[in-house]
Amino acid sequence: MKKNICLGIALVAGCLVLAPQSAVADEVKSLRGNIDIEAPSLPPEVEELIPDQKPIKRDYVKQPPLIPHKIDGYTMNAHYNKCLSCHSWANYKLAGATKISPSHFVDRNGNELANLAPRRYFCTQCHVVQTDAVPLVENTFKPVPALQK
Ligand code: HEC
Ligand code: HEC
């Protein structure tokens, strides 16, 4: 009880100077009480992205094609979209990349635009890079026969 009062006074009136520093330090407790923090687990290992390759076969009609190359460090924000420096209609030939399809120029009301539709601007909403990882669940999906060849 006395200790508590002293601690209270220490905080309010600054009687800190009177008490030996180490004794005060011993009294300090975290909100967690005596429960130890669990030893931090190791950060998950970053999976290897599969190396750049030719376009990956699509599994169904209208599938957003998977990204067959790394995109580390490719800026995509309100001011700049690195993907377009290779995939836009202006640049695709020089880059040897697939040009974005006409569907990417249509807004949600069906109007054909002269430029990329805002809803298609953030490419990675739909297009994803591939990681060589063990599938978490079994997948028995089979492409339609026309796309199996
Ligand atoms: C430095 C140039 C370059 C940049 C930047 C780039 N790509 Fe590519 N991309 C390519 C090339 C080259 C191919 C392969 C084309 C081929 O071999 O037919 C490709 C292929 C693709 C494909 C597969 C197309 C298909 O038909 O299967 C997708 C999807 C794609 N890129 C998306 C993206 C996205 C999204 C970004 C931005 C995060 C991006 N790319 C940035 C050059 C680039
Ligand atoms: C809302 C989803 C969505 C967004 C966002 C999107 N795409 Fe696509 N993309 C698709 C779908 C679906 C297809 C396949 C069907 C089609 O061509 O419309 C496709 C096709 C493509 C293709 C293949 C074209 C072809 O002729 O085979 C390329 C390349 C591509 N997208 C690049 C991009 C790039 C680069 C961006 C960002 C600037 C982007 N996409 C944004 C959904 C999207």
Side-chain angles (χ1 to χ4, degrees), residues 22-85:
S22 60
V24 173
D26 287 345
E27 296 294 328
V28 175
K29 277 198 181 125
S30 78
L31 291 175
R32 207 176 55 248
N34 293 327
I35 301 162
D36 281 341
I37 300 179
E38 275 179 34
S41 55
L42 293 171
E45 265 179 45
V46 176
E47 302 282 355
E48 277 283 303
L49 290 178
I50 53 176
D52 290 7
Q53 53 176 304
K54 283 275 148 202
I56 301 164
K57 247 177 72 177
R58 298 183 201 182
D59 285 324
Y60 56 94
V61 181
K62 296 236 170 158
Q63 174 198 331
L66 301 165
I67 306 176
H69 54 70
K70 292 190 179 123
I71 59 166
D72 301 5
Y74 286 178
T75 306
M76 204 189 309
N77 60 29
H79 307 289
Y80 183 73
N81 183 327
K82 174 75 179 163
C83 316
L84 292 175
S85 67

Coordinates of all heavy atoms in Angstrom, one line a residue, residues 22-85:
S22 N 16.7 2.4 -9.2 CA 16.5 1.0 -9.5 C 15.2 0.5 -8.9 O 14.5 -0.3 -9.5 CB 17.7 0.1 -9.1 OG 17.9 0.3 -7.7
A23 N 14.9 0.9 -7.7 CA 13.7 0.4 -7.0 C 12.5 0.8 -7.8 O 11.6 0.0 -7.9 CB 13.7 1.0 -5.6
V24 N 12.5 2.0 -8.3 CA 11.3 2.5 -9.0 C 11.2 1.7 -10.3 O 10.1 1.2 -10.6 CB 11.5 4.0 -9.4 CG1 10.4 4.4 -10.3 CG2 11.4 4.8 -8.1
A25 N 12.3 1.4 -10.9 CA 12.3 0.7 -12.2 C 11.7 -0.7 -11.9 O 10.9 -1.2 -12.8 CB 13.7 0.5 -12.8
D26 N 12.0 -1.3 -10.8 CA 11.5 -2.7 -10.5 C 9.9 -2.6 -10.4 O 9.3 -3.6 -10.6 CB 12.0 -3.2 -9.1 CG 13.5 -3.6 -9.3 OD1 13.9 -3.7 -10.5 OD2 14.2 -3.7 -8.3
E27 N 9.4 -1.5 -9.9 CA 8.0 -1.4 -9.7 C 7.2 -1.2 -11.0 O 6.0 -1.5 -11.1 CB 7.6 -0.2 -8.8 CG 8.2 -0.3 -7.4 CD 7.5 -1.4 -6.6 OE1 6.3 -1.7 -6.9 OE2 8.2 -2.0 -5.8
V28 N 7.9 -0.7 -12.0 CA 7.2 -0.4 -13.3 C 6.7 -1.7 -13.9 O 7.5 -2.7 -14.1 CB 8.1 0.3 -14.3 CG1 7.4 0.5 -15.6 CG2 8.5 1.7 -13.6
K29 N 5.5 -1.8 -14.3 CA 4.9 -3.0 -14.9 C 4.2 -2.6 -16.2 O 3.6 -1.5 -16.3 CB 3.9 -3.7 -14.0 CG 4.6 -4.6 -12.9 CD 3.6 -5.5 -12.4 CE 4.2 -6.4 -11.3 NZ 3.5 -6.3 -10.0
S30 N 4.3 -3.5 -17.2 CA 3.6 -3.2 -18.4 C 2.1 -3.6 -18.2 O 1.8 -4.3 -17.3 CB 4.1 -3.9 -19.6 OG 3.7 -5.3 -19.5
L31 N 1.2 -3.1 -19.1 CA -0.2 -3.4 -19.0 C -0.4 -4.9 -19.1 O -1.4 -5.5 -18.7 CB -0.9 -2.7 -20.1 CG -1.0 -1.2 -20.0 CD1 -1.7 -0.6 -21.2 CD2 -1.9 -0.8 -18.7
R32 N 0.6 -5.6 -19.7 CA 0.5 -7.0 -20.0 C 0.7 -7.8 -18.7 O 0.5 -9.0 -18.6 CB 1.6 -7.4 -21.0 CG 1.3 -8.6 -21.8 CD 2.4 -8.7 -22.9 NE 3.7 -8.8 -22.3 CZ 4.7 -7.9 -22.4 NH1 4.4 -6.8 -23.1 NH2 5.8 -8.0 -21.8
G33 N 1.2 -7.1 -17.6 CA 1.5 -7.8 -16.3 C 2.7 -8.7 -16.5 O 3.7 -8.3 -17.1
N34 N 2.6 -9.9 -15.9 CA 3.8 -10.8 -16.0 C 3.9 -11.7 -17.2 O 4.7 -12.6 -17.2 CB 3.9 -11.6 -14.7 CG 4.1 -10.8 -13.5 OD1 4.8 -9.8 -13.6 ND2 3.5 -11.1 -12.4
I35 N 2.9 -11.5 -18.1 CA 2.9 -12.5 -19.2 C 3.9 -12.1 -20.2 O 4.0 -10.9 -20.7 CB 1.5 -12.4 -19.9 CG1 0.4 -12.8 -18.8 CG2 1.4 -13.4 -21.1 CD1 -1.0 -12.4 -19.2
D36 N 4.8 -13.0 -20.5 CA 5.9 -12.8 -21.5 C 5.3 -12.6 -22.9 O 4.3 -13.2 -23.2 CB 6.9 -13.9 -21.5 CG 7.8 -13.8 -20.3 OD1 7.9 -12.7 -19.7 OD2 8.4 -14.9 -19.9
I37 N 6.0 -11.8 -23.6 CA 5.7 -11.8 -25.1 C 6.2 -13.1 -25.6 O 7.3 -13.5 -25.3 CB 6.5 -10.6 -25.8 CG1 6.1 -9.3 -25.2 CG2 6.2 -10.7 -27.3 CD1 6.8 -8.1 -25.8
E38 N 5.4 -13.7 -26.5 CA 5.9 -15.0 -27.1 C 7.1 -14.6 -28.0 O 7.1 -13.6 -28.6 CB 4.8 -15.6 -28.0 CG 3.8 -16.4 -27.2 CD 2.7 -17.0 -28.0 OE1 3.0 -17.2 -29.2 OE2 1.6 -17.1 -27.5
A39 N 8.0 -15.6 -28.0 CA 9.2 -15.4 -28.9 C 8.7 -15.1 -30.3 O 7.8 -15.8 -30.8 CB 10.0 -16.6 -28.9
P40 N 9.1 -14.0 -30.9 CA 8.6 -13.7 -32.3 C 9.0 -14.9 -33.2 O 10.1 -15.4 -33.2 CB 9.4 -12.5 -32.6 CG 10.6 -12.4 -31.7 CD 10.2 -13.2 -30.5
S41 N 7.9 -15.2 -34.0 CA 8.2 -16.3 -35.0 C 9.0 -15.7 -36.2 O 8.9 -14.5 -36.4 CB 6.9 -16.9 -35.5 OG 6.1 -15.9 -36.0
L42 N 9.7 -16.6 -36.9 CA 10.4 -16.1 -38.0 C 9.5 -15.5 -39.1 O 8.4 -16.1 -39.3 CB 11.3 -17.2 -38.6 CG 12.4 -17.7 -37.7 CD1 13.0 -18.9 -38.3 CD2 13.5 -16.6 -37.5
P43 N 9.9 -14.5 -39.8 CA 9.0 -14.0 -40.8 C 8.8 -15.1 -41.9 O 9.8 -15.8 -42.1 CB 9.8 -12.8 -41.4 CG 11.2 -13.0 -41.0 CD 11.1 -13.7 -39.7
P44 N 7.6 -15.2 -42.5 CA 7.5 -16.2 -43.5 C 8.5 -16.0 -44.7 O 8.8 -14.9 -45.0 CB 6.0 -16.0 -44.0 CG 5.7 -14.6 -43.6 CD 6.5 -14.3 -42.4
E45 N 8.9 -17.2 -45.2 CA 9.9 -17.1 -46.3 C 9.2 -16.5 -47.5 O 8.1 -16.9 -47.9 CB 10.4 -18.4 -46.6 CG 11.7 -18.7 -45.9 CD 12.3 -20.0 -46.1 OE1 12.3 -20.5 -47.3 OE2 12.7 -20.7 -45.1
V46 N 9.9 -15.6 -48.2 CA 9.3 -15.1 -49.5 C 9.5 -16.2 -50.5 O 10.6 -16.7 -50.7 CB 10.0 -13.8 -49.9 CG1 9.5 -13.4 -51.2 CG2 9.8 -12.8 -48.8
E47 N 8.4 -16.6 -51.1 CA 8.5 -17.6 -52.2 C 9.2 -17.0 -53.4 O 9.1 -15.9 -53.7 CB 7.1 -18.1 -52.6 CG 6.2 -18.6 -51.5 CD 6.6 -20.1 -51.1 OE1 7.5 -20.6 -51.8 OE2 6.1 -20.6 -50.1
E48 N 9.8 -17.9 -54.1 CA 10.5 -17.5 -55.4 C 9.4 -17.2 -56.4 O 8.5 -18.1 -56.7 CB 11.4 -18.7 -55.9 CG 12.7 -18.7 -55.2 CD 13.6 -17.7 -55.8 OE1 13.9 -17.6 -57.0 OE2 14.2 -16.9 -55.0
L49 N 9.5 -16.1 -57.0 CA 8.6 -15.9 -58.2 C 9.2 -16.7 -59.3 O 10.4 -16.8 -59.5 CB 8.6 -14.4 -58.5 CG 7.9 -13.4 -57.6 CD1 8.0 -12.0 -58.0 CD2 6.5 -13.8 -57.4
I50 N 8.3 -17.2 -60.1 CA 8.8 -18.0 -61.3 C 9.4 -17.1 -62.3 O 9.0 -15.9 -62.4 CB 7.7 -18.9 -61.9 CG1 6.5 -18.1 -62.3 CG2 7.3 -20.0 -61.0 CD1 5.5 -19.0 -63.0
P51 N 10.5 -17.5 -62.9 CA 11.2 -16.6 -63.8 C 10.4 -16.2 -65.0 O 9.4 -16.8 -65.3 CB 12.4 -17.5 -64.2 CG 12.1 -18.9 -63.9 CD 11.1 -18.9 -62.9
D52 N 10.8 -15.1 -65.6 CA 10.1 -14.6 -66.8 C 10.0 -15.7 -67.8 O 10.8 -16.5 -68.0 CB 10.9 -13.5 -67.4 CG 10.9 -12.3 -66.5 OD1 10.4 -12.4 -65.4 OD2 11.4 -11.2 -66.9
Q53 N 8.8 -15.7 -68.4 CA 8.6 -16.8 -69.4 C 7.6 -16.3 -70.5 O 7.1 -15.1 -70.4 CB 8.0 -18.0 -68.7 CG 6.8 -17.7 -67.9 CD 6.1 -18.9 -67.3 OE1 5.8 -19.8 -68.0 NE2 6.0 -18.9 -65.9
K54 N 7.3 -17.1 -71.4 CA 6.3 -16.8 -72.4 C 4.9 -16.7 -71.8 O 4.7 -17.2 -70.7 CB 6.3 -17.9 -73.5 CG 7.5 -17.7 -74.5 CD 7.1 -16.7 -75.6 CE 8.4 -16.0 -76.1 NZ 8.0 -14.7 -76.7
P55 N 3.9 -16.1 -72.4 CA 2.6 -16.0 -71.8 C 2.1 -17.4 -71.4 O 2.4 -18.4 -72.0 CB 1.8 -15.5 -73.0 CG 2.7 -14.6 -73.8 CD 4.0 -15.3 -73.7
I56 N 1.4 -17.4 -70.3 CA 0.9 -18.6 -69.7 C -0.4 -19.0 -70.3 O -1.3 -18.1 -70.4 CB 0.8 -18.5 -68.1 CG1 2.2 -18.1 -67.6 CG2 0.3 -19.7 -67.5 CD1 2.2 -17.6 -66.2
K57 N -0.6 -20.2 -70.6 CA -1.9 -20.7 -71.2 C -3.1 -20.2 -70.3 O -3.0 -20.3 -69.1 CB -1.9 -22.2 -71.3 CG -1.9 -22.7 -72.7 CD -1.8 -24.2 -72.9 CE -3.1 -24.8 -72.5 NZ -3.1 -26.3 -72.6
R58 N -4.1 -19.8 -71.0 CA -5.3 -19.4 -70.2 C -6.2 -20.6 -69.9 O -6.2 -21.6 -70.7 CB -6.1 -18.3 -70.9 CG -5.2 -17.1 -71.1 CD -5.9 -16.0 -71.8 NE -4.9 -15.1 -72.3 CZ -5.2 -13.9 -73.0 NH1 -6.4 -13.6 -73.1 NH2 -4.2 -13.2 -73.4
D59 N -6.9 -20.6 -68.8 CA -7.7 -21.8 -68.5 C -9.2 -21.6 -68.8 O -10.0 -22.5 -68.8 CB -7.6 -22.0 -67.0 CG -6.2 -22.7 -66.7 OD1 -5.8 -23.5 -67.5 OD2 -5.6 -22.4 -65.6
Y60 N -9.6 -20.4 -69.0 CA -11.0 -20.2 -69.4 C -11.2 -18.9 -70.2 O -10.3 -18.0 -70.2 CB -12.0 -20.2 -68.2 CG -11.6 -19.1 -67.1 CD1 -12.2 -17.9 -67.1 CD2 -10.7 -19.4 -66.1 CE1 -11.9 -16.9 -66.2 CE2 -10.4 -18.5 -65.2 CZ -11.0 -17.2 -65.2 OH -10.7 -16.3 -64.2
V61 N -12.2 -18.8 -70.9 CA -12.4 -17.7 -71.8 C -12.6 -16.4 -70.9 O -13.2 -16.5 -69.9 CB -13.7 -17.9 -72.7 CG1 -13.9 -16.7 -73.6 CG2 -13.6 -19.2 -73.5
K62 N -12.1 -15.3 -71.3 CA -12.1 -14.1 -70.6 C -11.4 -14.1 -69.2 O -11.7 -13.3 -68.3 CB -13.6 -13.7 -70.3 CG -14.3 -13.3 -71.6 CD -14.9 -12.0 -71.5 CE -15.5 -11.5 -72.9 NZ -16.5 -10.5 -72.8
Q63 N -10.4 -15.1 -69.1 CA -9.6 -15.0 -67.9 C -8.6 -13.9 -68.1 O -8.0 -13.7 -69.2 CB -8.8 -16.3 -67.9 CG -7.8 -16.4 -66.8 CD -6.7 -17.4 -66.9 OE1 -6.9 -18.5 -67.5 NE2 -5.5 -17.2 -66.5
P64 N -8.4 -13.1 -67.1 CA -7.3 -12.1 -67.2 C -6.0 -12.9 -67.2 O -5.7 -13.7 -66.3 CB -7.4 -11.3 -65.9 CG -8.7 -11.8 -65.2 CD -9.1 -13.1 -65.8
P65 N -5.2 -12.7 -68.3 CA -4.0 -13.6 -68.4 C -3.1 -13.3 -67.2 O -3.0 -12.2 -66.7 CB -3.4 -13.1 -69.7 CG -4.1 -11.9 -70.1 CD -5.4 -11.9 -69.5
L66 N -2.4 -14.4 -66.8 CA -1.5 -14.3 -65.7 C -0.3 -13.5 -66.1 O 0.1 -13.6 -67.3 CB -1.1 -15.7 -65.2 CG -2.3 -16.6 -64.8 CD1 -1.9 -18.1 -64.7 CD2 -2.8 -16.1 -63.4
I67 N 0.4 -12.9 -65.2 CA 1.6 -12.1 -65.6 C 2.8 -13.1 -65.6 O 3.1 -13.7 -64.6 CB 1.8 -10.9 -64.6 CG1 0.6 -10.1 -64.4 CG2 3.0 -10.1 -65.0 CD1 0.7 -9.0 -63.4
P68 N 3.4 -13.2 -66.7 CA 4.5 -14.2 -66.8 C 5.9 -13.7 -66.5 O 6.9 -14.3 -66.8 CB 4.4 -14.6 -68.3 CG 3.9 -13.4 -69.0 CD 3.1 -12.6 -68.0
H69 N 5.9 -12.5 -65.9 CA 7.2 -11.9 -65.6 C 7.1 -11.2 -64.2 O 6.0 -11.0 -63.7 CB 7.6 -10.9 -66.6 CG 6.6 -9.8 -66.9 ND1 6.3 -8.8 -66.0 CD2 5.8 -9.6 -67.9 CE1 5.3 -8.0 -66.5 NE2 5.0 -8.5 -67.7
K70 N 8.3 -10.9 -63.7 CA 8.3 -10.2 -62.4 C 7.8 -8.8 -62.5 O 8.0 -8.2 -63.6 CB 9.8 -10.2 -61.9 CG 10.3 -11.5 -61.5 CD 11.6 -11.4 -60.8 CE 12.2 -12.7 -60.4 NZ 13.5 -13.0 -60.9
I71 N 7.2 -8.3 -61.5 CA 6.8 -6.9 -61.5 C 7.4 -6.1 -60.3 O 6.9 -5.0 -60.0 CB 5.3 -6.7 -61.6 CG1 4.6 -7.4 -60.4 CG2 4.7 -7.3 -62.9 CD1 3.1 -7.0 -60.2
D72 N 8.4 -6.7 -59.7 CA 9.0 -6.0 -58.5 C 9.4 -4.6 -58.9 O 10.1 -4.4 -59.9 CB 10.2 -6.7 -58.0 CG 9.9 -8.2 -57.6 OD1 8.8 -8.6 -57.8 OD2 10.8 -8.8 -57.1
G73 N 9.0 -3.6 -58.1 CA 9.5 -2.3 -58.3 C 8.8 -1.5 -59.4 O 9.1 -0.4 -59.8
Y74 N 7.8 -2.2 -60.0 CA 7.0 -1.5 -61.1 C 6.0 -0.5 -60.4 O 5.1 -1.0 -59.7 CB 6.2 -2.4 -62.0 CG 7.1 -3.2 -63.0 CD1 6.6 -4.1 -63.9 CD2 8.5 -2.9 -63.1 CE1 7.4 -4.8 -64.8 CE2 9.3 -3.6 -64.0 CZ 8.7 -4.5 -64.8 OH 9.5 -5.2 -65.7
T75 N 6.2 0.8 -60.5 CA 5.3 1.7 -59.9 C 3.9 1.7 -60.6 O 3.8 1.7 -61.8 CB 5.9 3.1 -60.0 OG1 7.2 3.1 -59.5 CG2 5.1 4.2 -59.3
M76 N 2.9 1.7 -59.7 CA 1.5 1.9 -60.3 C 0.8 2.7 -59.3 O 0.3 2.2 -58.2 CB 0.9 0.5 -60.3 CG -0.2 0.3 -61.3 SD -1.0 -1.3 -61.1 CE 0.4 -2.4 -61.2
N77 N 0.7 4.0 -59.5 CA 0.0 4.9 -58.6 C -0.8 5.9 -59.5 O -0.9 5.8 -60.7 CB 0.9 5.6 -57.6 CG 1.9 6.4 -58.3 OD1 1.7 6.9 -59.4 ND2 3.1 6.6 -57.7
A78 N -1.5 6.8 -58.8 CA -2.4 7.8 -59.5 C -1.6 8.6 -60.6 O -2.3 9.1 -61.5 CB -3.0 8.7 -58.5
H79 N -0.3 8.7 -60.5 CA 0.4 9.5 -61.5 C 1.1 8.7 -62.6 O 1.4 9.2 -63.6 CB 1.5 10.3 -60.7 CG 0.9 11.1 -59.6 ND1 0.1 12.2 -59.8 CD2 1.0 10.9 -58.3 CE1 -0.3 12.6 -58.6 NE2 0.2 11.9 -57.7
Y80 N 1.4 7.4 -62.3 CA 2.3 6.7 -63.2 C 1.9 5.2 -63.2 O 1.7 4.7 -62.1 CB 3.7 6.9 -62.8 CG 4.7 6.2 -63.8 CD1 4.9 6.8 -65.1 CD2 5.4 5.1 -63.4 CE1 5.7 6.1 -66.0 CE2 6.2 4.4 -64.3 CZ 6.4 5.0 -65.6 OH 7.3 4.3 -66.5
N81 N 1.9 4.6 -64.3 CA 1.7 3.2 -64.4 C 2.7 2.6 -65.3 O 2.7 2.7 -66.5 CB 0.3 2.9 -65.0 CG -0.1 1.5 -65.0 OD1 0.8 0.6 -65.2 ND2 -1.3 1.1 -64.8
K82 N 3.7 1.9 -64.6 CA 4.8 1.3 -65.3 C 4.4 0.3 -66.4 O 5.0 0.1 -67.4 CB 5.7 0.6 -64.3 CG 6.9 -0.2 -64.9 CD 8.0 0.7 -65.4 CE 9.2 -0.1 -66.0 NZ 10.0 0.7 -66.8
C83 N 3.3 -0.5 -66.1 CA 2.8 -1.5 -67.0 C 2.6 -0.9 -68.4 O 2.8 -1.5 -69.4 CB 1.6 -2.2 -66.5 SG 1.6 -2.6 -64.7
L84 N 2.0 0.3 -68.4 CA 1.7 0.9 -69.7 C 2.9 1.3 -70.5 O 2.8 1.4 -71.7 CB 0.8 2.2 -69.4 CG -0.6 1.8 -68.9 CD1 -1.3 3.1 -68.5 CD2 -1.4 1.0 -69.8
S85 N 4.1 1.4 -69.9 CA 5.2 1.7 -70.6 C 5.6 0.6 -71.6 O 6.4 0.8 -72.5 CB 6.4 2.1 -69.7 OG 6.8 0.9 -69.0

